[in-house]
């Protein structure tokens, strides 16, 4: 397995031809692997294998290791924050002295070319062995040019776009002295109360895995020593998204089946794409905090998957094992973590304070420490830091490559693609008819900061285009925009209602910007209510009484529940926190310059009481029957979500034919192809995301009612039709069977094809 992975990483597998649907196809993977093997065999005969794993570095690493003291080795396993701490207390002061003493191997939260050059000089010129530092930072959805929050970007279902935004983030970060991003977050998340839901790809395993690969590829590029790439970090390993009650840092309790079926696949996909580092999660898994879990960090990551990069903890998560109650003190916690397989301690100083002593006492084998250091040094070599430790710290490059026009254009394009049209009663949108006067209402309408979203790196509010600025630019100076805040985001403040209603009365159309502030999602930002905060919804309902065309633009980092609004004759556009160019991107959609194409990467509940609610559900023994009280349902709420996973409207209509299948029975060596013809029957060109869901009708264990197994993003001119074909093979039909072996089971399958996860048309086939 290990050999295969390295080989896969170091070559460019053939790309699927354009228009090939994205499929979890084992066949394609095999085909690529065989080709890749062939290519590498030829290559490796002549030159060292390119890419991040370069066996030629191993000899250098070994000779370096032989020169290092135990203290210096532990230094390589230590990551401290610079003075620019963002997520918690800085445990140690005087880190510059630690760098000079060779007691730190990596620094995070330090950025900009000159600052990092200064720190690097301390490591390279003032320590005994001159081992360069790695600089890390949370570059999550952009460094200075900010893209939509990852959940929003996932709504584009555009893997090239996700790769592109990660690539731009990498170019900017690497030009600001950085080598390493703590991204992508690949945690599957199904609880909108959890603030960090904004940082991932939503609820689905397949879409989440595809996004994980695209983002890793975008950050890391083809060659890590290229100073326009950074190493990626798949986080938080593992199951952080399953925090009970959606409360951040809370306990996780998942079975091994759920862990492997739901939470691990995106992490493994990240490895398939060559991810260089993993970050442990704060939570426990089966009673063991992830930073002390040998099962996760060694048995799964190293032994099953063959990972060769390094594992970093999350912020002070070794120390937190004391509070978890599995370690008596920090020394105990350090031992647990290093034995489990942690290579680098983020900020906790547990290794820094105790590892030398633990090794000297014979409590921790020197070989484990050597391995950890080897894993870290391998990355420093791969980044080219031993050739030129300053190559990422070049002021000229920094000026040239950050916040460029090209990057901003990409941010606008990707933001447009991420937005989801949820409702468009009476075709209110696009606002093509002549508007002389527009009422722009809402506490988020003129906010630049709230475009950014949480985890916005070096993004600046003053760089951002607010909705007000974007709309004014699109409408031109001839159209008057009467802006009224109306209320605040979260308070019960109705003092601005009258002015807002007065402005709306005089206008031809009303646009209301509502939702959450940027800081209401992200780390430590869980909410027990997922309604639109404050009295914003009440204001919208008052404005709707005027009977004018009314568009609600929602800004949020999590699904919100607003069933009261969906009953109004209004339009609703989900804009997420759209990034630097948000205002322009929204205006492009409202004015019809771009036909919305996003689809929800997560279910929107009707109320908080339905949580957890996701499309990938089990049937239960008593599926909901409205006529039978004793079936699985609520007394006071429907089982149906407000909007299902995969849902999103367009300004045009897409008609689906009945799906067809090329055969009704297959064996394990065969595949089926399922086709559907999609026609743009409206007046405007548009992009449709065609989705395929599978249901295994009878299994040795219960199976979800449907699972996404493929999608295709197609562009159609008015009147144009296209046949979309999906291929399913044995791997697509496989799952963790009752004995936990991974494979398929003979029997009947159903494949639904349609515009979202509630698609009703299907074909059936049998595996025999
Ligand atoms: C804590 C967060 O959980 C993690 O995602 C982040 O990368 C680190 N802090 C560093 O900022």
């Amino acid at each position: 397995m290990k050999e295969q992975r390295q080989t896969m990483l170091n070559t460019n597998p053939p790309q699927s031809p354009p228009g090939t649907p994205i499929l979890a196809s084992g066949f394609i993977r095999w085909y690529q692997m065989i080709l890749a093997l062939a290519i590498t065999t030829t290559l490796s005969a002549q030159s060292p294998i390119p890419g991040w794993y370069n066996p030629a570095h191993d000899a250098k690493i070994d000779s370096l290791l032989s020169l290092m003291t135990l203290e210096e080795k532990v230094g390589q396993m230590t990551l401290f924050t610079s003075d620019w701490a963002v997520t918690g207390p800085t445990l140690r002061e005087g880190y510059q002295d630690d760098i000079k003493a060779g007691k730190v191997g990596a620094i995070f939260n330090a950025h900009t070319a000159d600052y990092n050059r200064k720190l690097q000089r301390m490591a390279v010129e003032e320590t005994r062995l001159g081992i360069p530092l790695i600089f890390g930072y949370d570059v999550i959805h952009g460094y200075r040019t900010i893209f939509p929050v990852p959940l929003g970007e996932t709504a584009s279902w555009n893997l090239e776009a996700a790769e592109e935004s990660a690539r731009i983030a990498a170019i900017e970060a690497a030009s600001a002295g950085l080598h390493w991003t703590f991204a992508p977050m690949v945690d599957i998340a199904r609880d909108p109360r959890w603030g960090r839901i904004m940082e991932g790809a939503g609820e689905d395993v397949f879409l989440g895995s595809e996004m994980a690969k695209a983002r890793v590829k975008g950050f890391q590029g083809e060659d890590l020593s290229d100073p326009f790439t950074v190493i990626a970090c798949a986080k938080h390993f593992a199951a952080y998204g399953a925090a009970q009650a959606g409360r951040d840092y809370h306990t996780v309790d998942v079975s091994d089946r759920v862990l492997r079926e739901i939470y691990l696949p995106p992490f493994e996909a990240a490895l398939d794409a060559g991810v260089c580092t993993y970050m442990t999660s704060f939570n426990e898994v089966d009673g063991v905090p992830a930073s002390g879990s040998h099962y996760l960090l060694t048995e799964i990551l190293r032994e099953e998957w063959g990972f060769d990069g390094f594992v970093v903890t999350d912020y002070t998560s070794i120390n937190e094992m004391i509070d978890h109650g599995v370690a008596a003190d920090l020394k105990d916690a350090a031992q647990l973590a290093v034995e489990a397989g942690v290579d680098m301690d983020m900020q906790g100083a547990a290794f820094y304070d105790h590892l030398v002593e633990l090794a000297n006492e014979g409590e921790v084998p020197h070989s484990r420490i050597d391995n950890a250091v080897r894993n870290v040094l391998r990355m420093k070599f791969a980044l080219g830091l031993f050739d030129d430790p300053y190559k990422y710290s070049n002021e000229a490059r920094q000026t040239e490559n950050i916040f460029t026009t090209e990057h901003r254009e990409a941010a606008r394009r990707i933001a447009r693609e991420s937005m989801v049209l949820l409702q468009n009663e009476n075709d209110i949108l696009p606002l093509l008819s002549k508007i002389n006067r527009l009422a722009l209402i809402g506490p988020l309408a003129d906010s630049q900061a709230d475009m950014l979203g949480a985890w916005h790196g070096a993004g600046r509010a003053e760089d951002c285009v607010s909705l007000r600025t974007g709309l004014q630019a699109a409408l031109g100076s001839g159209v008057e925009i009467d802006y009224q805040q109306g209320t605040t985001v979260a308070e019960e403040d109705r003092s601005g209602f009258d002015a807002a209603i007065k402005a709306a009365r005089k206008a031809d159309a009303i646009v209301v910007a509502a939702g959450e502030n940027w800081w209401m999602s992200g780390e430590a930002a869980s909410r027990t209510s997922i309604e639109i905060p404050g009295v914003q919804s009440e204001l919208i309902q008052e404005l709707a009484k005027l009977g004018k065309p009314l568009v609600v633009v929602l800004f949020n980092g999590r699904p919100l529940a607003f069933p009261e609004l969906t009953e109004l004759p209004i339009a609703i556009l989900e804009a997420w926190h759209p990034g630097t160019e948000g205002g322009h991107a929204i205006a492009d959609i409202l004015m019809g310059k771009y036909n919305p194409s996003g689809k929800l990467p997560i279910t929107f509940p009707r109320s908080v009481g339905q949580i957890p609610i996701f499309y990938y559900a089990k049937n239960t023994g008593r599926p909901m029957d409205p006529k039978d009280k004793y079936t699985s349902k609520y007394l006071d709420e429907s089982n149906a979500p407000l909007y299902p996973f995969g849902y999103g409207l367009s300004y045009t209509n897409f008609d689906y034919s009945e799906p067809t299948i090329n055969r009704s029975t297959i064996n394990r060596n065969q595949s089926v192809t399922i086709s559907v013809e999609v026609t743009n029957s409206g007046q405007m060109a548009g992009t449709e995301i065609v989705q395929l869901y599978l249901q295994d009708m009878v299994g040795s264990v219960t199976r979800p009612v449907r699972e996404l197994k493929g999608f295709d993003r197609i562009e159609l001119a008015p009147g144009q039709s296209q046949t979309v074909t999906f291929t399913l093979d044995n791997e697509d039909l496989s799952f963790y069977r009752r004995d936990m072996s991974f494979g398929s089971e003979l029997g009947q399958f159903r494949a639904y094809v349609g515009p979202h996860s509630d698609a009703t048309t299907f074909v059936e086939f049998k595996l025999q």
Side-chain angles (χ1 to χ4, degrees):
M1 190 62 183
K2 195 167 163 183
E3 301 310 321
Q4 288 170 355
R5 274 195 203 290
Q6 287 168 10
T7 312
M8 291 275 296
L9 284 167
N10 295 321
T11 57
N12 300 322
Q15 300 295 311
S16 312
T20 306
I22 316 299
L23 277 167
S25 165
F27 170 74
I28 292 177
R29 277 158 108 196
W30 260 109
Y31 169 74
Q32 290 177 340
M33 201 166 354
I34 288 162
L35 257 169
L37 271 168
I39 294 166
T40 309
T41 315
T42 337
L43 270 181
S44 58
Q46 309 147 6
S47 60
I49 302 165
W52 73 260
Y53 187 87
N54 188 339
H57 293 152
D58 285 348
K60 295 182 191 165
I61 291 169
D62 282 338
S63 79
L64 191 50
L65 266 173
S66 70
L67 300 173
M68 291 170 81
T69 63
L70 185 55
E71 286 76 5
E72 283 164 341
K73 290 177 185 173
V74 173
Q76 291 305 306
M77 298 169 70
T78 297
L79 166 66
F80 282 151
T81 182
S82 85
D83 300 331
W84 302 351
V86 286
T87 52
T90 300
L91 290 188
R92 301 194 62 84
E93 291 197 341
Y95 67 90
Q96 299 194 2
D97 296 336
D98 289 327
I99 296 175
K100 291 179 197 162
K103 291 170 112 182
V104 187
I107 291 285
F108 69 119
N109 291 329
H111 51 112
T112 65
D114 53 343
Y115 186 57
N116 286 9
R117 172 180 284 269
K118 195 175 123 199
L119 299 183
Q120 190 69 297
R121 184 162 287 133
M122 290 175 200
V124 173
E125 292 175 20
E126 298 189 41
T127 63
R128 195 176 74 90
L129 294 172
I131 300 175
L133 295 164
I134 292 185
F135 293 109
Y137 192 41
D138 289 286
V139 180
I140 308 295
H141 50 114
Y143 173 74
R144 169 92 183 270
T145 308
I146 302 300
F147 292 84
V149 292
L151 181 65
E153 187 184 71
T154 305
S156 70
W157 297 54
N158 186 344
L159 303 177
E160 284 92 39
E163 185 174 338
E164 184 185 354
S165 80
R167 175 64 44 85
I168 291 172
I171 291 171
E172 294 197 355
S175 302
L178 291 161
H179 313 128
W180 181 26
T181 176
F182 302 139
M185 183 185 105
V186 303
D187 295 309
I188 296 295
R190 295 173 164 186
D191 193 328
R193 293 172 295 186
W194 192 50
R196 301 203 73 169
I197 206 162
M198 52 70 58
E199 207 185 327
E203 74 184 42
D204 185 58
V205 176
F206 180 67
L207 183 58
S209 300
E210 292 300 318
M211 281 286 160
K213 285 190 257 182
R215 289 177 171 144
V216 169
K217 279 200 274 176
F219 286 128
Q220 297 193 168
E222 300 293 327
D223 176 6
L224 285 182
S225 68
D226 171 353
F228 288 103
T229 59
V230 291
I231 59 180
C233 181
K235 70 186 189 186
H236 306 83
F237 197 63
Y240 185 33
Q244 284 175 355
R247 202 177 80 205
D248 210 1
Y249 317 121
H250 201 3
T251 305
V252 161
D253 186 8
V254 291
S255 64
D256 201 42
R257 177 176 303 285
V258 168
L259 180 72
R260 288 178 179 273
E261 228 169 59
I262 310 296
Y263 293 99
L264 292 187
F267 287 96
E268 198 174 4
L271 186 57
D272 286 339
V275 76
C276 293
T277 68
Y278 281 84
M279 186 186 292
T280 62
S281 53
F282 286 124
N283 55 278
E284 66 175 66
V285 172
D286 198 19
V288 183
S291 295
S293 172
H294 189 267
Y295 177 56
L296 287 175
L297 306 184
T298 299
E299 287 159 54
I300 294 181
L301 199 52
R302 301 281 179 191
E303 292 167 10
E304 281 185 36
W305 296 358
F307 174 59
D308 274 319
F310 71 83
V311 173
V312 65
T313 67
D314 203 344
Y315 203 105
T316 62
S317 67
I318 299 181
N319 316 52
E320 290 165 27
M321 289 202 281
I322 301 169
D323 288 300
H324 275 289
V326 294
D329 52 31
L330 194 57
K331 186 173 171 188
D332 200 10
Q335 183 173 355
L336 252 178
V338 76
E339 282 174 351
V342 168
D343 300 312
M344 191 183 275
D345 170 8
M346 183 194 285
Q347 191 59 14
F351 288 175
Y352 177 98
D353 283 338
H354 298 289
L355 210 45
V356 170
E357 192 187 340
L358 282 164
N360 285 336
E361 288 168 359
E363 293 293 333
V364 168
H366 286 257
S367 58
R368 170 73 266 271
I369 293 176
D370 283 356
N371 268 339
V373 177
R374 212 173 257 123
N375 294 338
V376 173
L377 291 179
R378 198 174 283 140
M379 286 306 146
K380 295 191 176 184
F381 273 101
L383 283 162
L385 294 177
F386 284 97
D387 300 326
D388 177 2
Y390 304 111
K391 69 186 201 183
Y392 297 78
S393 286
N394 173 326
E395 278 87 342
R397 252 170 34 97
Q398 179 169 272
T399 315
E400 265 163 45
N401 296 313
I402 293 182
F403 205 53
T404 63
T405 309
E406 200 190 340
H407 293 177
R408 294 179 62 178
E409 277 166 12
R412 179 172 180 164
R413 177 168 33 85
I414 293 171
R416 279 194 311 230
E417 292 183 359
S418 74
M419 293 178 191
V420 186
L421 182 64
L422 295 174
Q423 177 167 315
N424 196 15
E425 284 303 300
N426 309 320
D427 291 335
I428 293 171
L429 287 173
L431 292 171
L432 290 174
S433 59
K434 188 95 190 79
I435 299 173
N436 292 314
R437 215 182 158 91
L438 181 78
L440 178 62
I441 316 284
L444 296 170
D446 197 25
S447 167
Q448 290 176 287
D450 292 302
M451 298 295 111
L452 290 169
W455 290 116
H456 49 255
R460 298 180 188 172
E462 64 268 28
D463 288 344
C464 292
V465 181
S466 71
L467 179 55
R468 186 181 186 182
T469 306
L471 276 174
Q472 193 69 72
L475 288 165
S477 52
V479 176
E480 197 174 326
I481 297 185
D482 196 350
Y483 163 67
Q484 293 293 333
Q485 185 177 312
T487 182
T488 57
V489 169
E491 287 146 333
E492 284 209 15
D493 178 1
R494 296 177 181 82
S495 60
F497 275 30
D498 285 349
I501 293 166
K502 202 166 146 203
R505 261 206 193 98
K506 286 190 266 166
D508 305 314
I510 310 163
V511 172
V512 187
E516 297 179 321
N517 291 115
W518 70 266
W519 47 267
M520 293 177 84
S521 54
E523 187 176 353
S526 294
R527 293 181 61 204
T528 58
S529 157
I530 57 161
E531 288 164 14
I532 299 174
V535 289
Q536 298 177 85
S537 174
E538 197 180 312
L539 175 60
I540 294 166
Q541 292 172 67
E542 289 302 317
L543 292 166
K545 289 181 187 158
L546 301 178
K548 306 216 172 188
L550 193 160
V551 181
V552 175
V553 179
L554 287 175
F555 295 91
N556 42 285
R558 59 158 59 77
L560 294 176
F562 43 88
E564 72 286 0
L565 296 188
T566 60
E567 285 157 21
L568 304 174
I570 61 174
I572 305 174
L573 178 72
E574 174 56 74
W576 315 103
H577 292 294
T580 311
E581 297 295 306
H584 286 319
I586 299 166
D588 288 342
I589 291 184
L590 299 192
M591 304 313 296
K593 253 178 81 180
Y594 182 78
N595 186 352
S597 56
K599 302 254 189 178
L600 295 177
I602 190 143
T603 304
F604 272 40
R606 296 180 58 79
S607 69
V608 79
Q610 291 181 313
I611 297 171
I613 179 170
F614 44 88
Y615 86 90
Y616 183 105
K618 302 286 181 79
N619 209 26
T620 81
R622 293 189 177 193
M624 204 273 284
D625 174 355
K627 293 192 274 330
D628 185 349
K629 176 171 195 258
Y630 295 96
T631 57
S632 183
K633 58 181 189 290
Y634 300 102
L635 287 176
D636 58 350
E637 182 58 278
S638 120
N639 282 11
L642 190 61
Y643 296 109
F645 174 84
Y647 178 84
L649 303 173
S650 163
Y651 293 155
T652 191
N653 295 316
F654 296 105
D655 296 339
Y656 281 69
S657 70
E658 285 291 319
T660 56
I661 187 161
N662 68 335
R663 60 204 329 166
S664 55
T665 57
I666 52 169
N667 64 38
R668 287 194 168 105
N669 298 317
Q670 294 173 319
S671 57
V672 281
T673 58
I674 296 153
S675 302
V676 68
E677 191 180 54
V678 184
T679 304
N680 179 348
S681 59
Q683 307 298 316
M684 211 172 164
T687 297
E688 171 67 336
I689 297 155
V690 184
Q691 300 158 45
L692 178 131
Y693 296 87
L694 187 71
Q695 182 180 13
D696 185 345
M697 306 304 281
V698 179
S700 59
V701 291
T702 59
R703 303 292 300 132
V705 286
R706 50 187 75 187
E707 273 179 278
L708 183 71
K709 286 290 176 183
F711 61 89
D712 199 4
R713 207 170 172 275
I714 55 169
E715 278 178 47
L716 294 176
Q720 193 186 352
S721 298
Q722 186 175 324
T723 299
V724 176
T725 301
F726 298 95
T727 304
L728 295 174
D729 67 12
N730 191 50
E731 190 176 320
D732 301 309
L733 312 184
S734 297
F735 63 100
Y736 289 95
R737 295 174 288 207
R738 190 178 284 214
D739 63 359
M740 288 303 283
S741 62
F742 188 76
S744 59
E745 288 178 347
L746 303 183
Q748 197 71 13
F749 290 84
R750 187 175 277 185
Y752 292 87
V753 183
H756 49 68
S757 59
D758 269 352
T760 48
T761 53
F762 62 85
V763 287
E764 289 198 327
F765 61 94
K766 192 171 182 182
L767 179 66
Q768 61 182 23

